[in-house]
Amino acid sequence: MGYSSAKPSLNNCSEPEQVVRLRAQLLEWYGRMGRDLPWRRTRDPYAIWISEIMLQQTQVKTVLPYYQRWLAALPTVAALAAAELEAVLKLWEGLGYYTRARNLHKAAQVIVKEHGGVFPETAQQLQQALPGIGRSTAGAIASSAFGRCEAILDANARRVLGRLFAVGDPPARAEAKLWEISQRLVDPQAPHNFNQALMDLGATVCTARSPLCLLCPWQVDCLGRRSGDPTHFPVRPARAVRSEIAGVSVAIECQGKFLLVRRPERGLLAGLWEFPFVESVGGGEPEETVRVAFGNRLESLERLGQVEHEFTHRHLTAQVLRAQWIAAPAALPKVFDCREHTWQPPECWLKFPMPGYVHKICKLLKEALPKVSVD
DNA sequence: AAGTCGGGGTG
DNA sequence: CACCCAGACTT
């Protein structure tokens, strides 16, 4: 024991001096300035997994309330596996990228049924076995929950490391370099803290717009800062143009209940509920669009206004109409008949997982129908 | 390699 | 308003 410990650790002695210094500087900074976040107070792989999925393309501040509420409702992987998909989507409602919630549900069932309820412990196994876990999330879980020396490359790590080494390659080529750098730097003695520190540095100091280089533990080594403008690195991919979706949402009433339909299992807002939405035909009036879709099943069409909603790559404009249903209850147009649907009074709407733009419509309806409460 | 997929924070 | 965010998956 004394003999082997007298020998310097292989890692520390074989690593370049700069790597050893960068690790020490970052970890020292993390000890002083690191954020106190709830998923850092546990090593439960389930809780860490949930946090990592929620944090995909989503900022910490947004995630915090969702994380707390989720763990209170579904505290274990077994509870998640046994839950209804509807309940899972309801917990996720408003967080966006709903495929993440569907994959969490699927993956929980894989863990219970095919892995005896036990989490895979290596990054490779995590990524291969479980839907929704890519390379970076696998690295984050493996290092945070199981202490494995695995790299991450999220938006923070990409920006911090891209600046530190002034990686100016086109995005596709830079990716491989950045993974190499991340794997070379991650501290085998403290992979959890190192990766968390890397993300904190990106989130609080090495920010996208105006980095606070004078507070950075890596300011001396940073080639991006030395170059004059660290924000030139790394080069970001071009942004897709935003397309327009224009249509009509119809609040169809029948004996005090309104028709809700479930969106398809794939694509935009998959599996969430909405009032029947019909894309506009021609440049015509909303009444014409509704007539084409519903034929003579409706009467008393009434314009209630319109809602707009911004997605990352879509702009939605929905005219909102109210109408009375005068056909037989089961006589839905084919496009809606093939979907799951239900008639619900306003006080029951919020039991269903619905996207943001539908919440705006509910508010509009509440104002138009003051005698009924949407709460 | 390029598109798709939400909603909110921030300068 | 434009840009960005603890990315993964499909085509």
Side-chain angles (χ1 to χ4, degrees), chain A residues 29 155-156 159-161 163-164 198 200-213 216 222 230 233:
Chain A
W29 173 86
N156 289 309
R159 190 172 56 252
V160 171
L161 299 176
R163 287 172 179 173
L164 179 59
L198 199 54
D200 266 13
L201 189 62
T204 66
V205 172
C206 194
T207 56
R209 301 289 185 90
S210 33
L212 308 171
C213 296
C216 182
C222 183
F233 309 97

Side-chain angles (χ1 to χ4, degrees), chain A residues 56-332:
Chain A
Q56 288 171 359
Q57 294 291 284
T58 310
Q59 297 184 349
V60 166
K61 185 178 181 181
T62 304
V63 164
L64 282 170
Y66 282 90
Y67 174 80
Q68 306 284 13
R69 190 174 56 141
W70 181 290
L71 284 185
L74 302 172
T76 65
V77 64
L80 173 55
E84 294 290 337
L85 178 59
E86 288 289 303
V88 172
L89 287 173
K90 188 66 190 175
L91 280 168
W92 200 268
E93 181 183 55
L95 204 47
Y97 288 135
Y98 296 92
T99 299
R100 293 184 292 172
R102 311 167 77 78
N103 281 337
L104 276 176
H105 192 225
K106 274 186 216 160
Q109 296 176 342
V110 169
I111 292 169
V112 167
K113 290 178 184 170
E114 299 177 24
H115 297 263
V118 180
F119 269 80
E121 295 196 7
T122 70
Q124 188 190 359
Q125 289 168 342
L126 285 162
Q127 184 177 357
Q128 186 193 350
L130 305 178
I133 298 183
R135 184 171 175 184
S136 186
T137 300
I141 298 173
S143 60
S144 295
F146 302 113
R148 305 253 168 185
C149 188
E150 296 285 353
I152 58 166
L153 194 61
D154 70 316
N156 289 309
R158 183 174 288 107
R159 190 172 56 252
V160 171
L161 299 176
R163 287 172 179 173
L164 179 59
F165 292 104
V167 177
D169 306 73
R173 268 183 55 77
E175 203 67 3
K177 282 191 182 179
L178 292 168
W179 271 112
E180 245 178 80
I181 293 168
S182 189
Q183 187 65 59
R184 177 156 42 95
L185 283 189
V186 59
D187 190 339
Q189 306 300 318
H192 179 196
N193 284 344
F194 182 92
N195 285 338
Q196 297 295 316
L198 199 54
M199 292 190 277
D200 266 13
L201 189 62
T204 66
V205 172
C206 194
T207 56
R209 301 289 185 90
S210 33
L212 308 171
C213 296
L214 295 181
L215 301 180
C216 182
W218 285 348
Q219 56 182 277
V220 173
D221 286 273
C222 183
L223 298 182
R225 190 185 72 88
R226 287 197 198 174
S227 80
D229 189 353
T231 65
H232 289 157
F233 309 97
V235 179
R236 293 195 55 86
R239 191 160 282 280
V241 290
R242 186 152 52 200
S243 60
E244 301 285 337
I245 309 176
V248 183
S249 288
V250 207
I252 303 174
E253 185 174 2
C254 182
Q255 298 175 351
K257 296 180 177 178
F258 293 78
L259 181 61
L260 297 176
V261 299
R262 207 157 106 92
R263 294 181 58 87
E265 298 297 313
R266 305 176 68 93
L268 188 67
L269 306 170
L272 273 63
W273 293 82
E274 64 185 358
F275 299 100
F277 177 82
V278 187
E279 287 205 41
S280 292
V281 293
E285 303 295 300
E287 290 83 359
E288 172 64 12
T289 296
V290 168
R291 185 155 45 246
V292 169
F294 287 90
N296 58 1
R297 298 174 180 85
L298 303 178
E299 67 176 7
S300 307
L301 270 58
E302 178 188 358
R303 296 190 190 189
L304 297 184
Q306 77 175 38
V307 302
E308 300 195 31
H309 197 79
E310 300 290 344
F311 302 98
T312 299
H313 56 292
R314 301 279 179 98
H315 177 88
L316 171 70
T317 305
Q319 303 282 333
V320 181
L321 262 54
R322 180 188 183 186
Q324 299 295 323
W325 182 260
I326 61 175
L332 285 175

